[in-house]
Amino acid sequence: QQPVQSPQAVILREGEDAVINCSSSKALYSVHWYRQKHGEAPVFLMILLKGGEQKGHDKISASFNEKKQQSSLYLTASQLSYSGTYFCGTELINSGGSNYKLTFGKGTLLTVNP
Amino acid sequence: DTAVSQTPKYLVTQMGNDKSIKCEQNLGHDTMYWYKQDSKKFLKIMFSYNNKELIINETVPNRFSPKSPDKAHLNLHINSLELGDSAVYFCASSLRTRTDTQYFGPGTRLTVL
């Protein structure tokens, strides 16, 4: 049930763009994106619900392809502050009772260099 | 004001000991969680409580026992600590159980020697 994230790691220069992908083998109700900096707690970025929506947050946006059970996080014109590990968390569509939970991928380590 | 707080921040102890981690949230949320993040940064849910009721109990050894005295608090007690318990433990909270932002505490780094 754990979603698969790719790539595992990416190194950018400031100003470059990146895409992080998250895919599931199960039908999803929602996809959540979090960023965790070294030694800190994960911080919420955005939630995408089934229905195939796209969201934006400054220069970070995401899409959710319901048919493919895939979500992508787009980081545009990256800044040094974007460095960290990005996690997607997925919530299954057929969840009830104990299935109300987020299952996180293994994370994508993003490094932005000057 | 700190939204989700945990104590202690660091915990170093010997194998076989019993220890507790405390979590408090002042966001008025109904749901609280415990996550374990291992050395490979894998973030896995352990327990979830909604209005003091246990709703998620993943395949966690029964040496781990959560307790929620009220909606704002969720504690984690660990008996007979083992080397493999070394990890960062995060508490989190959300307004509802489903499709809601989770706010994470700063984490407790547990090291078992």
Side-chain angles (χ1 to χ4, degrees):
Chain A
Q1 283 187 355
Q2 182 181 28
V4 177
Q5 284 186 237
S6 63
Q8 287 185 334
V10 58
I11 300 174
L12 301 174
R13 289 214 177 273
E14 228 176 335
E16 291 181 337
D17 302 341
V19 180
I20 300 171
N21 299 303
C22 175
S23 64
S24 172
S25 59
K26 303 270 188 183
L28 298 177
Y29 186 84
S30 67
V31 179
H32 304 222
W33 286 97
Y34 286 78
R35 176 172 63 207
Q36 183 180 28
K37 292 183 180 285
H38 182 69
E40 297 181 8
V43 174
F44 171 77
L45 293 175
M46 60 190 81
I47 294 175
L48 300 107
L49 303 178
K50 72 179 185 73
E53 60 174 356
Q54 184 150 358
K55 278 195 171 181
H57 171 49
D58 195 11
K59 291 179 181 172
I60 299 175
S61 62
S63 63
F64 177 22
N65 186 321
E66 192 182 352
K67 288 182 182 177
K68 292 185 178 181
Q69 305 306 324
Q70 288 178 354
S71 177
S72 294
L73 186 72
Y74 307 94
L75 299 109
T76 307
S78 59
Q79 305 166 16
L80 296 177
S81 62
Y82 286 4
S83 292
T85 301
Y86 289 77
F87 292 96
C88 70
T90 54
E91 192 174 14
L92 299 182
I93 198 167
N94 293 325
S95 58
S98 64
N99 281 331
Y100 282 158
K101 65 181 180 184
L102 282 186
T103 303
F104 285 95
K106 291 186 177 180
T108 296
L109 177 61
L110 177 76
T111 304
V112 181
N113 292 321
Chain B
D1 276 349
T2 304
V4 182
S5 59
Q6 291 179 230
T7 53
K9 190 164 173 64
Y10 299 97
L11 196 48
V12 181
T13 188
Q14 300 285 334
M15 269 176 56
N17 284 350
D18 303 338
K19 289 293 177 186
S20 291
I21 306 171
K22 295 187 175 183
C23 177
E24 177 181 1
Q25 54 95 1
N26 62 5
L27 297 167
H29 288 169
D30 288 343
T31 309
M32 296 184 72
Y33 313 81
W34 278 113
Y35 285 90
K36 179 181 180 181
Q37 187 169 46
D38 61 23
S39 57
K40 294 185 179 178
K41 291 212 150 191
F42 180 34
L43 193 61
K44 189 172 182 346
I45 191 165
M46 300 172 68
F47 303 103
S48 173
Y49 272 75
N50 181 249
N51 277 320
K52 302 194 297 175
E53 181 186 346
L54 180 66
I55 56 171
I56 292 175
N57 185 350
E58 290 292 280
T59 49
V60 176
N62 56 17
R63 298 182 294 103
F64 290 80
S65 51
K67 278 197 172 62
S68 181
D70 55 58
K71 263 182 21 170
H73 295 86
L74 180 62
N75 304 322
L76 183 65
H77 187 75
I78 316 169
N79 289 325
S80 304
L81 279 155
E82 301 178 357
L83 293 176
D85 297 333
S86 294
V88 180
Y89 292 83
F90 286 103
C91 175
S93 73
S94 63
L95 186 58
R96 299 176 298 264
T97 54
R98 189 168 192 180
T99 315
D100 209 355
T101 303
Q102 292 188 17
Y103 295 85
F104 284 78
T108 296
R109 181 173 293 277
L110 172 66
T111 304
V112 183
L113 303 174

